[in-house]
């Protein structure tokens, strides 16, 4: 019987690809690696608005987690995990394969909120899984190109976080370029202003950009459901109906349901509670990172998943070697860059906002460099 300890990585998110990259460079002794992932390759979300705008091809966004795992000498199971039994140390997959582990780590990301509202799952285009969103872009463009209709093509984006703002502006740029009829974009959010939690300077600037670009801002209104034959009409909590052709759904992250259905400690929203070492609370053998993990002071953004990657890699190695683990401290501020779809971007750092072509060049360079690391 092999004395090798088995490390099972679930999901090929931002933190895990870094674990795989480092494992390939120096594989830990006496350890075997298995990656369980629902789909492959993964798409890097930071460049998705640019893909929507027509600036990138899909292949430029792809990160092949399975290839990284094989390069690290590991095996790959291309199937979603549907339970983690930490007590028994097994991961159960969608087809009921039981995978025993010595150590496991979860980096499965998040899904989107509100899919349970009437008509939303059936009719809206959710931003996650991102593959689904990407698959719908050609249909949207084709619908807007349809010159047989004279009425404007109306697209609503629900959720005015960073992703929603970028998608609204990038869809606008793309559709205006390619459509055979006028294009109207609405951005809808339950909050009164876009970019909740972002620096005030960035929020003000984005408000000005939305106004300048003619994106209709429908703030302070909660969507209660979606209706209409085309699925593009939003029912609002004030009784209003916003009719349109399509709805992109990006109202913020929700926890993958299987986390709460496992024997893992979860917060009120269903995300796995972790401590500073990235170990799941009360469980030495299970780690979690990125959106699926809940740690005070850690927002749900790719940059935090990226920054926790090296610590996760080190801690898995230290755990295998029986050495003390390192703490991860989420940074209090980060460079935030939003693609505006017209060749410019807006950003902020240390509370200062900036905008222009040079900002988009900077974003493009950072994003491309990130993806290149995993090629
Ligand atoms: C349009 C858009 C643009 C964004 N832009 C930015 C940005 O510019 N900067 C930023 O910081 N954040 C951005 N975000 C947020 C960012 O996408 C997330 O915070 C980030 O992806 C979280 O990374 P992660 O490692 O937790 O998970 P992910 O990168 O989502 O990876 C999850 C992995 O787990 C896999 N998986 C999922 N479920 C299972 C399962 N059951 N079994 C096995 N595998 C599974 C997935 O296939 C994937 O490999 C954006 C989000 C959107 C929607």
């Amino acid at each position: 019987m092999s004395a090798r300890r088995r490390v099972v990585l679930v999901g090929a998110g931002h933190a895990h690809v870094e674990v795989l990259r480092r494992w390939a460079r120096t594989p830990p002794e006496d350890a075997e690696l298995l990656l369980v992932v629902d789909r492959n390759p993964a798409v890097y979300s930071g460049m998705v608005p640019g893909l929507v705008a027509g600036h990138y091809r899909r292949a430029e966004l792809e990160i092949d987690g399975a290839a990284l795992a094989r390069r690290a000498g590991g095996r790959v199971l291309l199937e979603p995990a549907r339970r983690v039994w930490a007590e028994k140390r097994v991961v159960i997959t969608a087809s009921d394969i039981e995978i025993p582990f010595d150590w496991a780590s979860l980096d499965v990301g998040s899904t989107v909120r509100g899919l349970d509202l009437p008509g939303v799952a059936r009719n809206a285009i959710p931003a996650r899984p991102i593959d689904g969103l990407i698959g719908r872009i050609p249909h949207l463009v084709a619908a807007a190109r349809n010159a047989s209709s004279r009425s404007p093509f109306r697209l609503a984006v629900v959720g005015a976080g960073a992703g929603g703002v970028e998608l609204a502006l990038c869809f606008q740029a793309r559709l205006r370029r390619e459509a055979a009829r006028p294009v109207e974009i609405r951005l809808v959010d339950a909050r009164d202003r876009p970019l909740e939690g972002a620096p005030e300077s960035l929020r003000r600037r984005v408000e000005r950009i939305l106004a300048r670009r003619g994106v209709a801002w429908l703030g302070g209104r909660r969507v209660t459901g979606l209706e209409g034959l085309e699925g593009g009409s939003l029912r609002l909590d004030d009784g209003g109906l916003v009719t349109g052709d399509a709805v992109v759904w990006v109202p913020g992250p929700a926890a993958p349901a299987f986390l709460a259905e496992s024997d893992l400690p979860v917060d009120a929203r269903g995300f796995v509670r972790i401590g500073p070492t990235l170990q799941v609370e009360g469980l030495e053998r299970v780690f979690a990172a990125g959106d699926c993990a809940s740690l005070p002071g850690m927002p749900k953004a790719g940059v935090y998943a990226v920054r926790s990657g090296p610590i996760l890699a080190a801690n898995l190695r230290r755990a295998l070697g029986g050495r003390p683990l390192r703490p991860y401290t989420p940074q209090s501020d980060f460079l935030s860059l939003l693609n505006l779809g017209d060749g410019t971007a807006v950003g902020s750092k240390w509370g200062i906002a900036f905008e222009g072509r040079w900002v988009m060049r900077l974003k493009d360079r950072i994003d491309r460099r990130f993806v290149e690391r995993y090629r």
Side-chain angles (χ1 to χ4, degrees):
M1 228 170 66
S2 159
R4 285 159 71 84
R5 283 86 40 90
R6 180 184 284 168
V7 177
V8 175
L9 302 183
V10 184
H14 295 67
H16 278 178
V17 291
E18 184 61 18
V19 170
L20 293 170
R21 192 178 76 89
R22 290 175 183 232
W23 193 301
R25 242 173 21 197
T26 359
E29 278 177 22
D30 300 326
E32 66 172 90
L33 177 74
L34 175 65
L35 173 69
V36 180
V37 66
D38 60 342
R39 65 190 83 218
N40 189 71
V43 174
Y44 173 52
S45 60
M47 290 167 83
V48 166
L51 177 83
V52 165
H55 300 149
Y56 302 121
R57 287 171 297 110
R58 189 198 153 106
E60 293 176 283
L61 280 61
E62 287 179 347
I63 296 180
D64 189 340
L68 282 168
R70 293 194 188 99
R71 212 177 298 155
R75 287 178 300 139
V76 178
L77 185 61
L78 200 58
E79 214 180 295
R82 67 168 188 83
R83 287 288 184 282
V84 178
W85 294 132
E87 183 85 0
K88 292 192 209 152
R89 286 201 214 148
V90 288
V91 171
I92 319 264
T93 68
S95 71
D96 278 336
I97 301 175
E98 284 201 14
I99 305 165
F101 63 81
D102 295 297
W103 278 273
S105 176
L106 309 173
D107 183 11
V108 292
S110 53
T111 152
V112 286
R113 250 185 260 161
L115 292 178
D116 51 343
L117 291 173
V120 170
R122 195 176 60 246
N123 294 320
I125 304 172
R128 287 190 175 277
I130 283 182
D131 274 336
L133 170 68
I134 293 176
R136 298 290 288 276
I137 299 171
H139 302 282
L140 274 181
V141 174
R145 272 193 190 138
N146 179 1
S148 65
S149 168
R150 290 199 176 173
S151 56
F153 182 79
R154 298 195 182 101
L155 172 75
V157 175
V158 178
V165 166
E166 283 189 290
L167 289 175
L169 291 164
C170 288
F171 267 118
Q172 186 196 52
R174 172 77 173 273
L175 295 174
R176 282 201 171 154
R177 212 169 54 234
E178 302 201 19
R181 47 187 171 135
V183 171
E184 290 178 9
I185 308 285
R186 285 88 170 251
L187 186 55
V188 187
D189 199 290
R191 314 254 187 198
D192 290 328
R193 301 181 60 204
L195 297 185
E196 170 80 9
E200 183 54 31
S201 56
L202 182 63
R203 299 182 83 181
R204 271 204 306 271
R205 203 179 268 257
V206 163
E207 284 172 328
R208 284 203 300 272
I209 292 166
L210 292 172
R212 189 174 78 216
R213 293 271 296 266
V215 171
W217 169 246
L218 302 177
R221 269 159 284 190
R222 193 172 288 280
V223 175
T224 56
L226 235 99
E227 45 191 75
L229 269 183
E230 297 301 315
S233 300
L234 296 169
R235 175 69 66 189
L236 303 176
D237 61 353
D238 61 3
L241 186 69
V242 179
T243 55
D245 298 281
V247 173
V248 173
W249 193 256
V250 51
F258 84 92
L259 299 174
E261 292 160 3
S262 300
D263 65 348
L264 302 167
V266 293
D267 69 11
R269 293 162 65 200
F271 295 103
V272 182
R273 297 163 67 103
I274 59 166
T277 57
L278 305 173
Q279 283 161 305
V280 174
E281 274 183 7
L283 298 170
E284 280 193 351
R285 299 289 187 125
V286 186
F287 292 77
D291 276 11
C292 72
S294 170
L295 179 70
M298 185 177 78
K300 310 265 177 240
V303 289
Y304 292 90
V306 170
R307 291 288 179 88
S308 62
I311 308 284
L312 179 62
N315 281 351
L316 281 168
R317 197 175 286 269
R318 282 165 178 254
L320 282 161
R323 286 178 290 136
L325 307 191
R326 284 169 54 190
Y328 159 71
T329 313
Q331 72 265 36
S332 54
D333 185 43
F334 64 94
L335 174 66
S336 170
L337 297 170
L338 275 61
N339 186 342
L340 303 178
D342 60 354
T344 70
V346 63
S348 75
K349 175 83 181 165
W350 299 308
I352 299 165
F354 34 81
E355 183 187 345
R357 289 196 175 273
W358 70 270
V359 186
M360 188 58 226
R361 279 198 298 276
L362 175 68
K363 175 167 171 53
D364 177 66
R365 208 161 47 237
I366 292 171
D367 285 345
R368 283 183 190 276
R369 201 180 299 150
F370 177 76
V371 175
E372 275 309 311
R373 269 168 90 82
Y374 303 105
R375 290 272 151 89

